[in-house]
């Protein structure tokens, strides 16, 4: 230090809501002399503020070169339902950074026409992460795209961010049984060798609402029965000793000790130890007995 010069230390307080940890903090220093009587020394007219830059400490390892390794994957969710009011498509993604800090991390989601961006949110270990998204129509015949700045300007090393994006579905959208989506993450400092898992494509099933219109005449029953008919009943008989089932024939004794009575002219055969009197007034004889 030169003779007659002195240094003074000043402390700067950084607010906790600071988002930009890449650009150095610029501070200006202005020197002025107080007015005295009689006048004392004065500064040259060309003296102006002096600017200094205070860099942030970067998490870049011993080589002081930050290299990120981003990846993205989808979280399986519900199907899209077309034909209902206020229908929506909810997309959940996991974006992780397996290496050092990623600068200006971005997320793009390509989707077909028929949806419009509603809102998005991101969180890391239940803590909110800044995310800003905008939706714009792509070139003619190309899918529309959603672009997002994720944890701008730095996505910290080791972070695993849950991203949830909600789209509004247009009721006149013409989709098939499924719709394809594709998500891509990028940053300014990821080497090409680790870009293999930066893009993920998947299909979302599409369900369609079926509107039923029922009409009937004035003299018809005003209700609809969707109950299936009862199952047909099957006749079963007691199994014989040989394992087969058989229905007894008319006039055949059913229990041990029952007698076979000749049928009356206008009545069915009766079981019992004796037969009713015949037309001549005599009791009928027992023809035979079933052996026990």
């Amino acid at each position: 230090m030169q003779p007659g010069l002195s240094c003074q230390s000043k402390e700067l307080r950084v607010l906790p809501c600071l988002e930009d940890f890449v650009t150095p903090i610029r501070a200006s220093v202005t020197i002025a002399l107080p007015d005295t009587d009689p006048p004392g020394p004065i500064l040259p007219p060309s003296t102006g503020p002096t600017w200094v830059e205070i860099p942030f400490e970067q998490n870049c390892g011993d080589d002081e070169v930050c290299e990120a390794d981003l990846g993205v994957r989808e979280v399986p969710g519900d199907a899209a339902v077309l034909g209902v009011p206020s229908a929506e498509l909810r997309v959940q993604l996991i974006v992780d950074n397996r290496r050092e800090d990623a600068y200006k991390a971005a997320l793009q989601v390509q989707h077909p026409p028929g949806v419009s961006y509603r809102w998005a949110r991101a969180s890391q270990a239940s803590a909110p992460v800044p995310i800003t998204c905008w939706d714009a129509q792509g070139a003619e015949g190309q899918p529309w795209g959603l672009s997002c700045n994720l944890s701008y300007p730095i996505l910290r090393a080791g972070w695993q961010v849950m991203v949830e994006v909600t789209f509004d579905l247009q009721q006149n959208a013409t989709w098939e049984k499924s719709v394809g989506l594709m998500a891509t993450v990028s940053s300014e400092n990821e080497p090409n060798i680790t870009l293999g898992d930066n893009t993920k494509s998947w299909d979302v099933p599409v369900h369609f609402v079926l509107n039923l219109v029922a009409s009937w005449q004035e003299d018809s029953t005003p209700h609809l029965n969707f109950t299936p008919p009862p199952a047909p009943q099957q006749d079963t008989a007691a199994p014989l000793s040989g394992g087969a089932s058989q229905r007894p024939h008319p006039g055949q004794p059913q229990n041990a000790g029952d007698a076979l009575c000749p049928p009356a002219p206008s009545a069915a055969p009766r079981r019992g130890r004796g037969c009713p009197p015949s037309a001549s007034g005599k009791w009928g004889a027992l023809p035979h007995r079933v052996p026990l």
Side-chain angles (χ1 to χ4, degrees):
M1 180 176 298
Q2 299 179 4
L5 299 179
S6 62
C7 293
Q8 295 183 357
S9 298
K10 299 295 182 179
E11 183 178 294
L12 298 178
R13 296 186 179 272
V14 179
L15 299 178
C17 58
L18 186 65
E19 296 182 357
D20 189 353
F21 295 94
V22 177
T23 305
I25 297 177
R26 298 190 66 196
S28 64
V29 178
T30 302
I31 301 175
L33 295 177
D35 295 334
T36 60
D37 190 15
I42 60 174
L43 295 174
S46 60
T47 302
T50 301
W51 290 92
V52 295
E53 291 187 350
I54 305 174
F56 286 96
E57 182 179 358
Q58 304 296 330
N59 183 21
C60 298
D62 297 335
D63 58 358
E64 297 184 356
V65 177
C66 280
E67 291 186 348
D69 183 7
L70 300 180
V72 61
R73 62 185 185 273
E74 90 283 1
V75 178
D78 299 332
V81 180
L82 292 180
V84 296
S86 303
E88 64 181 24
L89 173 63
R90 184 171 299 178
V91 177
Q92 288 185 327
L93 302 168
I94 295 179
V95 178
D96 52 5
N97 182 15
R98 291 179 290 271
R99 295 187 65 182
E100 298 166 334
D101 292 348
Y103 298 152
K104 297 183 179 180
L107 171 67
Q108 290 84 31
V109 180
Q110 289 187 354
H111 56 79
V115 302
S116 59
Y117 168 67
R118 181 190 298 179
W119 57 268
R121 62 184 177 187
S123 61
Q124 150 67 21
S126 301
V129 173
I131 183 172
T132 304
C133 299
W134 59 95
D135 198 0
Q137 184 176 3
E140 184 177 357
Q142 299 296 325
W144 291 11
L146 178 73
S147 299
C148 301
N149 289 332
L150 184 59
S151 185
Y152 186 87
I154 293 180
L155 183 63
R156 291 299 185 183
W159 274 20
Q160 188 176 83
V161 181
M162 171 69 74
V163 179
E164 183 177 348
V165 183
T166 301
F167 299 94
D168 289 322
L169 298 183
Q170 300 177 6
Q171 297 191 18
N172 59 351
T174 56
W175 289 355
E176 301 295 335
K177 295 182 179 180
S178 63
V179 59
L181 301 176
M182 183 172 66
T184 303
V185 291
S186 60
S187 68
E188 290 186 347
N189 61 321
E190 180 171 2
N192 295 333
I193 194 174
T194 62
L195 296 179
D197 57 351
N198 285 40
T199 300
K200 179 64 177 180
S201 301
W202 73 101
D203 291 333
V204 176
V206 178
H207 293 172
F208 301 87
V209 174
L210 179 61
N211 296 322
L212 296 178
V213 178
S215 61
W216 56 82
Q217 298 178 355
E218 295 181 357
D219 56 348
S220 62
T221 303
H223 73 274
L224 298 176
N225 185 8
F226 293 96
T227 305
Q233 298 182 355
Q234 298 181 356
D235 295 337
T236 58
L240 300 177
S241 59
S245 299
Q246 180 178 351
R247 181 182 300 275
H249 298 287
Q252 178 181 349
Q254 301 181 15
N255 298 322
D258 290 349
L260 180 63
C261 299
S266 61
R270 298 179 59 188
R271 294 180 296 175
R273 296 297 178 178
C275 296
S278 62
S280 59
K282 296 181 181 182
W283 287 86
L286 299 176
H288 67 277
R289 292 182 179 275
V290 178
L292 297 178

